[in-house]
Amino acid sequence: MLFNAAASGLAQEPGRSIKPASEIRPDNNPKMETKKIGLAIHGGAGTIERSEITPEKEREYRAGLEQALTAGYEILKRGGSSLDATEAAVRVLEDDPHFNAGRGSVFTSAGTNEMDASIVDGKTLKAGAVGSVQHIKNPISLARLVMEKSPHVMLDCAGAEAFAKANGIELVDQKYFFTQQRWDALQKMKAAEKNKTSGAGKSFLITDQDRHGTVGAVALDKDGNLAAATSTGGTTNKMPGRIGDTPVIGAGTYANNQTCAVSCTGDGEYFIRAVAAHGLSALMQYRRLKLQEAAQDALDTVKQLGGTGGLIAIDKNGEIALPFNTNGMYRGYVDPKGKFVVEIYR
């Protein structure tokens, strides 16, 4: 399902009002053109049923998304960069235990938390990524540090954490990442795995919320520069050392000023095989597809391989697409006209 944020006819969810954001006003000089800015975020896609989320929990999810939008958009409004905006938005989601990144990361089969993140600068095509870090409060900021302060694109595990420490980033105890909801999800998946192996008749309801999730942001700044940032705790009960699409440049994250900025969420292995994020950009660059069509085509390729999920994308004109092939996706955007929208369900 696609959302064109620039289209004024976009239907909002019943009972959900659109929160106004400050309008970008042109200078008094009539010859000066107002510079477009735009921002979109996601907090993961999956089987998200309205009937299974309490009103209180829904308010908490919406509040987290709105806080992330506000953090990123305030930077853009002040003339800040798309890199700063996407990093700021993702940091907010990493600090929110409702989302599978940073504080709310899921557990591996060994009962540890291993996080991945990446960021891409559409102006230069520079990128930074980290994989399987265990003690970094905000992996997205470490990914940016890799991009700006190292000769590399990706660092993982102990090497990434040593680099963080050498550059003044505080390491936190693994206890910081413990949340009861994520721990319970691990126990449920282990029980289901054991039950399947033993052939016992007991069944377990494993939801997408239990299995995986990702957060991400894409932005266009006043200078026409695009950026994308993505962060995740991976998948529940994954093998230690498993790395998904999030830190793989071109798979889960990509940005190019000539086309678009993209952040993906879903079954990471399939997004890697489809090279989904770069594939979207390539469809625009080489086949001259519009953003919405290219975004849907890229996601359809993932689906054809057997994967589910969604993505967010923004192009150089400020058009926004948010397709997903699941029941829902935590998402929000502020379009170039200053309109705030936060949505969860299809």
Side-chain angles (χ1 to χ4, degrees), residues 154-171:
M154 184 188 293
L155 294 176
D156 70 0
C157 304
E161 296 196 349
F163 176 75
K165 191 172 183 180
N167 283 274
I169 291 184
E170 179 185 3
L171 274 61

Side-chain angles (χ1 to χ4, degrees), residues 261-307:
V262 188
S263 175
C264 303
T265 174
D267 298 321
E269 281 73 12
Y270 296 98
F271 281 84
I272 293 173
R273 290 166 58 190
V275 199
H278 181 267
L280 196 169
S281 174
L283 286 168
M284 295 180 68
Q285 185 171 3
Y286 302 121
R287 289 184 55 191
R288 305 298 180 186
L289 297 188
K290 298 294 186 181
L291 179 70
Q292 281 73 26
E293 185 179 1
Q296 190 62 58
D297 278 8
L299 192 59
D300 286 347
T301 299
V302 173
K303 185 177 181 179
Q304 289 165 10
L305 294 174

